[in-house]
Amino acid sequence: MFKKFLILTFKGIRYRTLRSWLTILGIVIGIMLVVIIFALSGGIQKAVRDTLQMFGSDLVVIFPGKETNPLVGFLGGQKFREKDLMALENIEGIDFVIPMDVAMMNVEFKGEKKSVMIHAAPWKRYSEVLESSQGVNLAQGRWPLSDQVNETVLGYLTAKSLFKKNVWPGDEIIIKSKRMKVVGTITEIGSQMDDNVIFVSLEIFRNLTGNRGGTGTALVKLKSGADINLVTRQIKFQLGKQEVVRDFSVLTPEKADKLVGNVLSIVELVLIIIAFISLIVGAVGIMNTMYTSVLERTRQIGVMKAIGATYDNILSLFLIESGMIGLFGGLLGILLGLLSAYGIGAVVARMGIRGIFSWSAVDYYGLFAVLLITFITGVIAGILPARQAAKMEPAQALRYE
Amino acid sequence: MSSQKISDHRPKEPEKVIDPVCGMDTGKLEKTIHYVWKGQRFSFCGPECRERFEKNPGRFKKEPLIILRDVRKIFQLSGVETQALRGVDLHIWEGDFVVIIGASGSGKSTTLNMMGLLDLPSSGAIQIKGRDTSTLSEAELAAMRSRAFGFVFQQFNLIPWLTAFENVALPPLFARQEVNEKKLISLFKDIGLEERMAHRPKELSGGEQQRVALLRALANNPDIIIADEPTGNLDSETGEKILKMLIDLNQQQKKTLIIVTHDASIAKRADQIITLKDGIVVANHRAHMAYI
């Protein structure tokens, strides 16, 4: 019975091809947007989380700016005094502090110029932290012998694909007009951002930038068994006494993860609101179409009633129809949304950021929920028009011209 | 018969004297024929009804298939009240071929709609197969429409987005019956349309559409066929074919056939002719053709 009604409705929808498609389109656009953003937000979240995992669990990062808005501090270019940071080593539980800095610089290799993120830190301790806490190892060559020599280590992609020709240990590159000898390359970390870097010593970095005393960030390595929360509080207290950088953040891996989660959940909330609004707009579209179609089919409703259709029959026919329009809209929106997300992912990957979209990261239960919601929306939007149709008196409907 | 007083609550009116054959209220007529049969006194609207009674009194002592008793219908058209029916009294007998005639606006289609339960009266009573329809729920009305009646319309009224076959399969679907496809196909074969089964209505000629509509009316094997100007949109030759099919159903399968028409030639073949004028039955036999 239901199957026959379904077929009946489907034929009705197909009979009014253009209008049906336009109504479906009203749902498609909203759902497509939502699916794109959700599919990508998962990827972005994953990419950010992957990067965060770089930090070992025994590391704390200090950077200027409020925790809630870390980018401002970074971009603002505020610098700590190195001695304020190094003084933190007196805190019990801290093994050592690595002052660090980053900047984009022009790098030339065999006449080819590129802009690359330069990471700077004292070699000895930094290489130790990279290897022990962050699982980053040398792929080729060695670490530089001291902070004073003009030697550098390249990230995986910098060596492999940044320049037309591969850069090998022993090659020479020019960073901001200073000749540096490449002595090693490191293994692939897996994120575009982390693999496209060049490491230099903090001393050389300061020579390059001309900025002598300041340090952008610091990596704090804890002693094993130290209470990370206690140490964090102590760092905040002690660093609060210096007056160069008023707002600063002490970020533990746990907190960083939470922070990213917060930002993304706000984004998701906004998206849900947008999705909700677009769904309402779509529903109004369905309702409009259904009212028109009830009016247009008044005569046929009269005929169907004359040959024995009950109130419930007519009601279900129209409800199935509006539900199906919603469902088609949802289905098509999801398909187009996924395809677009895939396309965007592919384009962004070409620009250097990979892993934004992956089929395995798609939340298929979520998509099913979207489908269910569009179907229910369709049915709800159809209730009033369907009731109007079902209530018609057959003779009156048959007279309708 | 006069004791059959349904929903007549106007005070101080004389008891109705109903013609036992056609159901007219003879009290409203200028001339009536009185007749005594087996000691019982009857009033007839005219000699035709009396003749029918005389031929087979037993038949008319039973209960009619359809009874309309003082049926009135008022339409509200943009605030203005229009009386479409002003007290119609009728009997329809099982197996009869009944023609309803009258000028346009006389209320003949409205009367037909009342009989077919397509419309509800503003007042008065309708009894079909012994059941007072005013007590029926919406679902029971639909069930009765689906099982007791087959409708044929002037405009054919096939569902445009369904094929001919699907149109014919609709009534069983609504009646929650299993669609017997073999039976439907054989029906299509009988009327020579088996090759047009998969066509949509707009791909069929008028005559073909009306034949499909006729099949649809027969799909639930109803006892009563109701046709509102079934030949009105067809050329005379095709119309004659459709009419022959309808009359065959009446004569061979003993289905009660009620047709609304303008066409006097159709009326001549009927068992009963109901003539309407300005919302009332003015004549119920063959003599009053002048009103067509």
Side-chain angles (χ1 to χ4, degrees):
Chain A
M1 181 83 174
F2 180 74
K3 199 180 131 208
K4 294 231 165 93
F5 268 49
L6 212 63
I7 296 168
L8 220 62
T9 318
F10 187 66
K11 295 206 165 208
I13 291 176
R14 264 198 6 202
Y15 187 70
R16 290 170 293 279
T17 315
L18 181 65
R19 180 134 43 79
S20 301
W21 276 116
L22 287 177
T23 315
I24 289 171
L25 204 63
I27 291 281
V28 167
I29 292 170
I31 297 301
M32 188 175 101
L33 276 175
V34 169
V35 170
I36 290 176
I37 299 164
F38 273 113
L40 293 184
S41 90
I44 292 167
Q45 195 162 346
K46 195 165 166 281
V48 175
R49 290 246 152 88
D50 284 351
T51 310
L52 283 175
Q53 271 173 9
M54 271 270 297
F55 296 116
S57 58
D58 56 351
L59 293 177
V60 173
V61 184
I62 302 169
F63 57 86
K66 286 185 180 162
E67 273 167 25
T68 47
N69 206 348
L71 279 179
V72 173
F74 266 129
L75 300 176
Q78 280 182 305
K79 304 268 182 194
F80 292 104
R81 273 192 307 229
E82 189 176 348
K83 66 170 188 178
D84 290 336
L85 293 174
M86 297 317 289
L88 297 173
E89 286 192 341
N90 298 329
I91 295 170
E92 207 187 317
I94 291 183
D95 194 356
F96 52 78
V97 176
I98 305 171
M100 289 185 68
D101 221 332
V102 290
M104 289 292 275
M105 286 184 195
N106 282 329
V107 177
E108 191 181 331
F109 176 63
K110 293 193 173 163
E112 199 183 342
K113 279 187 184 166
K114 293 274 166 164
S115 200
V116 186
M117 188 63 84
I118 309 290
H119 285 226
W123 275 120
K124 197 175 168 305
R125 281 175 169 174
Y126 191 46
S127 58
E128 192 184 320
V129 167
L130 281 175
E131 284 182 341
S132 65
S133 298
Q134 299 186 331
V136 177
N137 293 303
L138 281 171
Q140 296 169 306
R142 58 169 172 82
W143 296 107
L145 294 173
S146 78
D147 284 355
Q148 288 77 38
V149 293
N150 291 337
E151 288 178 345
T152 177
V153 171
L154 305 188
Y156 178 77
L157 288 177
T158 318
K160 201 184 161 210
S161 60
L162 183 65
F163 298 100
K164 276 178 194 150
K165 288 177 184 158
N166 283 6
V167 188
W168 300 101
D171 283 343
E172 210 167 59
I173 59 171
I174 299 165
I175 304 177
K176 247 189 149 186
S177 79
K178 192 174 184 84
R179 285 176 185 278
M180 303 284 288
K181 188 180 175 196
V182 177
V183 293
T185 63
I186 59 170
T187 49
E188 186 173 13
I189 296 167
S191 99
Q192 198 76 16
M193 224 170 84
D194 296 319
D195 284 328
N196 256 322
V197 293
I198 291 177
F199 298 93
V200 298
S201 77
L202 192 60
E203 217 173 312
I204 302 284
F205 183 84
R206 284 177 179 157
N207 284 341
L208 290 170
T209 57
N211 185 340
R212 289 262 143 214
T215 304
T217 61
L219 212 53
V220 177
K221 166 104 163 111
L222 304 186
K223 283 181 181 151
S224 63
D227 179 351
I228 194 162
N229 293 319
L230 183 69
V231 172
T232 308
R233 277 205 296 278
Q234 282 177 314
I235 292 173
K236 277 185 180 166
F237 176 72
Q238 191 172 321
L239 212 52
K241 286 190 266 185
Q242 56 85 31
E243 284 176 349
V244 185
V245 181
R246 258 189 125 59
D247 294 323
F248 60 89
S249 312
V250 182
L251 208 59
T252 59
E254 194 189 344
K255 221 192 235 167
D257 199 59
K258 224 192 242 169
L259 201 68
V260 172
N262 282 347
V263 172
L264 288 174
S265 62
I266 289 171
V267 172
E268 275 180 10
L269 185 73
V270 171
L271 294 180
I272 286 167
I273 292 170
I274 293 174
F276 190 66
I277 293 170
S278 74
L279 210 60
I280 289 176
V281 172
V284 171
I286 292 183
M287 204 186 274
N288 185 25
T289 303
M290 292 310 292
Y291 266 121
T292 317
S293 124
V294 166
L295 208 64
E296 199 183 60
R297 278 181 278 174
T298 301
R299 228 188 142 78
Q300 280 82 36
I301 293 166
V303 174
M304 288 197 254
K305 284 215 152 183
I307 61 175
T310 58
Y311 178 93
D312 291 346
N313 289 151
I314 302 289
L315 193 77
S316 5
L317 277 176
F318 279 90
L319 286 185
I320 292 172
E321 177 166 336
S322 64
M324 259 164 62
I325 288 178
L327 195 67
F328 280 150
L331 204 64
L332 214 65
I334 286 172
L335 280 178
L336 288 177
L338 285 179
L339 281 177
S340 310
Y342 174 78
I344 292 170
V347 169
V348 172
R350 274 172 163 250
M351 286 158 57
I353 303 163
R354 276 187 297 177
I356 289 294
F357 178 81
S358 79
W359 292 107
S360 59
V362 173
D363 176 4
Y364 290 98
Y365 288 107
L367 294 185
F368 183 73
V370 167
L371 225 50
L372 204 67
I373 290 169
T374 52
F375 175 71
I376 291 169
T377 308
V379 171
I380 290 173
I383 286 176
L384 290 177
R387 279 183 52 180
Q388 182 181 316
K391 274 197 282 196
M392 281 182 187
E393 292 291 336
Q396 210 178 333
L398 279 167
R399 273 196 298 274
Y400 186 85
E401 292 294 328
Chain B
M1 281 294 163
S2 60
S3 62
Q4 257 187 0
K5 223 176 71 172
I6 311 171
S7 119
D8 189 358
H9 30 69
R10 283 165 297 171
K12 287 179 192 170
E13 208 169 290
E15 282 232 332
K16 283 188 172 186
V17 186
I18 299 294
D19 181 326
V21 176
C22 69
M24 281 178 85
D25 180 359
T26 55
K28 290 179 188 170
L29 300 174
E30 288 170 15
K31 275 198 284 179
T32 52
I33 298 175
H34 298 290
Y35 179 76
V36 180
W37 180 74
K38 287 189 179 174
Q40 234 179 319
R41 194 181 148 90
F42 295 98
S43 277
F44 292 103
C45 65
E48 289 81 3
C49 280
R50 193 195 65 196
E51 279 165 28
R52 288 194 80 191
F53 184 80
E54 279 175 325
K55 268 189 206 160
N56 190 357
R59 183 184 182 204
F60 299 105
K61 293 290 279 178
K62 286 187 210 153
E63 190 156 66
L65 184 66
I66 300 173
I67 303 171
L68 266 65
R69 207 46 96 225
D70 198 26
V71 167
R72 289 159 191 272
K73 181 69 183 178
I74 297 166
F75 288 115
Q76 295 272 0
L77 288 172
S78 50
V80 183
E81 280 193 359
T82 311
Q83 289 205 3
L85 296 182
R86 301 184 297 144
V88 170
D89 297 290
L90 271 181
H91 287 170
I92 305 278
W93 295 93
E94 195 171 350
D96 269 5
F97 169 22
V98 181
V99 165
I100 303 178
I101 52 176
S104 60
S106 59
K108 54 189 190 306
S109 286
T110 310
T111 306
L112 196 74
N113 289 342
M114 295 291 159
M115 290 179 187
L117 302 178
L118 296 182
D119 212 345
L120 297 174
S122 305
S123 71
I126 298 167
Q127 187 183 307
I128 292 165
K129 290 183 166 181
R131 293 188 74 179
D132 179 4
T133 57
S134 66
T135 62
L136 298 180
S137 70
E138 146 84 30
E140 286 170 322
L141 285 175
M144 200 165 214
R145 279 198 292 268
S146 136
R147 297 203 176 91
F149 297 102
F151 293 93
V152 180
F153 305 93
Q154 181 179 4
Q155 312 285 349
F156 322 133
N157 279 343
L158 297 174
I159 306 294
W161 55 88
L162 299 179
T163 64
F165 184 84
E166 288 161 344
N167 265 286
V168 176
L170 267 187
L173 179 67
F174 289 139
R176 294 178 163 270
Q177 287 169 2
E178 204 49 48
V179 178
N180 186 342
E181 293 198 0
K182 273 187 191 160
K183 188 191 137 204
L184 292 189
I185 291 169
S186 79
L187 284 177
F188 270 97
K189 275 185 187 157
D190 289 347
I191 59 162
L193 279 182
E194 79 248 49
E195 283 175 8
R196 314 289 274 166
M197 283 194 309
H199 286 68
R200 294 241 182 99
K202 65 180 171 192
E203 296 157 349
L204 303 174
S205 72
E208 286 172 332
Q209 286 191 53
Q210 196 61 307
R211 276 187 280 167
V212 173
L214 189 56
L215 284 195
R216 182 176 67 184
L218 295 172
N220 280 350
N221 197 23
D223 304 326
I224 310 165
I225 307 285
I226 286 187
D228 192 350
E229 309 222 18
T231 60
N233 268 10
L234 300 171
D235 62 77
S236 57
E237 195 187 332
T238 318
E240 186 56 39
K241 268 189 206 161
I242 295 288
L243 196 66
K244 189 177 176 304
M245 289 169 80
L246 285 167
I247 293 174
D248 280 352
L249 286 169
N250 169 249
Q251 290 179 345
Q252 289 165 16
Q253 299 185 32
K254 302 295 170 213
K255 291 190 189 297
T256 309
L257 174 64
I258 308 169
I259 297 182
V260 159
T261 184
H262 276 114
D263 188 345
S265 68
I266 297 178
K268 280 179 193 147
R269 305 184 221 178
D271 297 309
Q272 182 182 356
I273 305 164
I274 299 163
T275 313
L276 279 147
K277 193 189 176 194
D278 299 333
I280 50 169
V281 179
V282 290
N284 217 319
H285 39 71
R286 286 155 209 265
H288 285 70
M289 298 302 281
Y291 284 102
I292 299 171

